[in-house]
Amino acid sequence: MHFDASSVVPLFHQIAQQFTAGILSGAFPEGSQIPSTTEVARTYAINPATVLRGMNELVDAGVIEKRRGVGMFVVHGARDRLAAAQQAEFFAAQVPQVVRQAQALGITAAQLTAAIEREYSHE
């Protein structure tokens, strides 16, 4: 994990983003325990209240759960929930921007589709 105290993104949100990335990548599989608030705070020299605030974002989103006296765990279905949210964000923010840019350049929908399909075939 990496946190940037000079970023315009608040630290608590960076914490949520880092755990989200870990869940999506499989570093924190569903059902697994994630590092404790104290452990993250100590390891990265971050205020424990800030770490807790970031983790609570994920609790509120239904991605992790607190188990009293045991710790925090990734809930089943978290990866799919996070992926769906990021896909929705992508479609809402990125696609309209690409389409507007393509239209401004005179690129047709067919040309744009063909370019996307070519890019996918390079995988």
Side-chain angles (χ1 to χ4, degrees), residues 27-106:
F28 300 119
E30 294 176 359
S32 70
Q33 186 171 9
I34 62 171
S36 71
T37 302
T38 304
E39 185 179 344
V40 174
R42 188 176 305 129
T43 301
Y44 298 100
I46 300 172
N47 184 311
T50 302
V51 175
L52 183 59
R53 188 171 174 193
M55 289 181 163
N56 280 336
E57 271 191 20
L58 299 178
V59 169
D60 293 344
V63 175
I64 61 174
E65 66 181 359
K66 296 177 185 178
R67 295 185 190 163
R68 190 172 184 88
V70 181
M72 294 201 196
F73 292 79
V74 179
V75 301
H76 292 285
R79 188 179 187 292
D80 289 342
R81 187 175 295 118
L82 289 170
Q86 288 192 352
Q87 287 172 5
E89 185 178 318
F90 172 79
F91 285 121
Q94 300 298 317
V95 173
Q97 182 180 349
V98 169
V99 169
R100 281 192 299 276
Q101 234 178 338
Q103 289 171 330
L105 295 170

Side-chain angles (χ1 to χ4, degrees), residues 6-27:
S6 64
S7 172
V8 296
V9 177
L11 272 175
F12 73 91
H13 194 63
Q14 290 180 48
I15 290 163
Q17 289 173 332
Q18 290 291 315
F19 278 107
T20 294
I23 293 166
L24 287 169
S25 74

